[in-house]
Amino acid sequence: MIQKLFSVSNSAQRLRILESIQPNFCELIKNKQGTHTLQAFIDNFTCAEEFSFVSMEIRLDFYELCTNNNATHFIQKVVKTFPLEYTLPYFNYTVENLLAFALDKNAMCVIKHMMRRFRELAGQYEAYEPTVEVIRRQLITHVTFSVDRLIMDSYGNYVIQFCYELFDLDKCAGITERILSKFAFYAVGKFSSNVILKCISSYWTDKKIYNTLRGLTNSQIVEIFRHKDGNKILLEIM
């Protein structure tokens, strides 16, 4: 019923609703039912004042909301649907604090939707493209220099996989080099082996892998082969 009311409301009526719930806005999106209701609500936004209102309300508690089990879904909806001019400040903040976001089970999903949004909007916002490109490069740079921490983490490893999934392979060259430089070590890691297996099956060229394997000692190959995850990697290569 309430979603039906949202769909027939106009922007002035929606703004009045927003003003009435403003003191409790963040608490509402932390609530299981509240976050679903407000996600349906923002689907009907049409004017700048509505987008701006929500963007301003979430700014102070952005990281806390991203990590909250319920609020994170609202934030992800904002990232996926709001015009770029209202979300760029949050993209900047996320990249500047990449590890904090990447190592959290909920916040790392915000990173994925942010990266996907970059790809979806490519060429649609010419005025913002230079800024988007800077953020994209900063994100990849942060991931590259944080490979050791991310690839061994239960959530962080997915952020590396997101990079390969959502960015051109050449932009991930630095990440690839970092991983391959410690191939023998990562191939037997619980989470890092998943990244390598995914990359071998979907992204990396055979030549690059074979060159890496030729640089391994016999003892390293034996150790990889004996490990259940490493064994899968070697079988995939073969």
Side-chain angles (χ1 to χ4, degrees):
M1 179 63 180
I2 193 167
Q3 292 186 21
K4 177 65 176 178
L5 291 174
F6 289 161
S7 66
V8 298
S9 62
N10 58 42
S11 59
Q13 292 170 329
R14 290 192 295 270
L15 282 170
R16 285 198 292 272
I17 293 173
L18 287 171
E19 290 167 358
S20 70
I21 64 175
Q22 183 175 17
N24 302 303
F25 187 85
C26 287
E27 291 306 312
L28 283 171
I29 62 176
K30 291 178 186 176
N31 177 271
K32 186 174 182 179
Q33 184 59 49
T35 190
H36 289 299
T37 300
L38 287 174
Q39 285 177 64
F41 185 47
I42 65 177
D43 275 337
N44 301 282
F45 282 8
T46 57
C47 74
E49 289 84 354
E50 294 170 308
F51 294 118
S52 180
F53 184 100
V54 171
S55 297
M56 292 296 288
E57 285 304 307
I58 63 177
R59 73 191 190 285
L60 294 179
D61 300 316
F62 185 70
Y63 177 72
E64 179 188 350
L65 296 174
C66 287
T67 59
N68 182 273
N69 288 334
N70 295 317
T72 186
H73 300 294
F74 180 86
I75 299 298
Q76 291 171 40
K77 184 70 171 284
V78 168
V79 168
K80 288 188 291 184
T81 61
F82 272 33
L84 194 58
E85 56 263 41
Y86 300 104
T87 54
L88 272 179
Y90 299 114
F91 292 174
N92 263 317
Y93 179 81
T94 301
V95 171
E96 290 170 359
N97 299 275
L98 181 73
L99 275 180
F101 281 79
L103 302 181
D104 181 84
K105 66 177 182 178
N106 293 319
M108 66 95 172
C109 295
V110 175
I111 295 177
K112 181 174 185 177
H113 289 301
M114 179 183 75
M115 294 162 69
R116 181 171 287 156
R117 190 69 167 155
F118 283 163
R119 188 175 68 175
E120 291 172 349
L121 298 179
Q124 295 184 32
Y125 285 82
E126 291 186 11
Y128 294 102
E129 189 58 33
T131 302
V132 169
E133 181 59 25
V134 168
I135 296 174
R136 187 188 292 115
R137 288 179 181 177
Q138 289 177 339
L139 189 150
I140 294 174
T141 298
H142 282 299
V143 171
T144 301
F145 285 105
S146 302
V147 162
D148 283 342
R149 185 71 179 88
L150 294 172
I151 200 169
M152 303 296 287
D153 185 79
S154 57
Y155 304 118
N157 82 91
Y158 288 108
V159 174
I160 295 176
Q161 295 184 54
F162 297 159
C163 287
Y164 284 105
E165 176 187 343
L166 299 170
F167 293 145
D168 293 337
L169 189 58
D170 64 312
K171 296 185 184 300
C172 300
I175 299 173
T176 299
E177 293 303 320
R178 288 260 178 165
I179 296 174
L180 291 179
S181 70
K182 293 185 177 181
F183 182 86
F185 177 68
Y186 292 143
V188 296
K190 180 177 181 181
F191 304 112
S192 54
S193 60
N194 292 333
V195 176
I196 291 179
L197 197 58
K198 178 69 173 179
C199 288
I200 290 172
S201 63
S202 304
Y203 308 115
W204 290 347
T205 64
D206 291 341
K207 183 178 178 181
K208 188 178 289 289
I209 294 298
Y210 291 138
N211 286 341
T212 298
L213 288 178
R214 280 199 291 268
L216 298 176
T217 65
N218 288 337
S219 61
Q220 286 177 318
I221 294 176
V222 170
E223 182 180 355
I224 294 172
F225 193 77
R226 287 176 174 173
H227 193 280
K228 65 175 183 178
D229 296 313
N231 184 272
K232 292 177 185 177
I233 290 171
L234 293 179
L235 289 174
E236 182 68 30
I237 294 172
M238 294 174 185

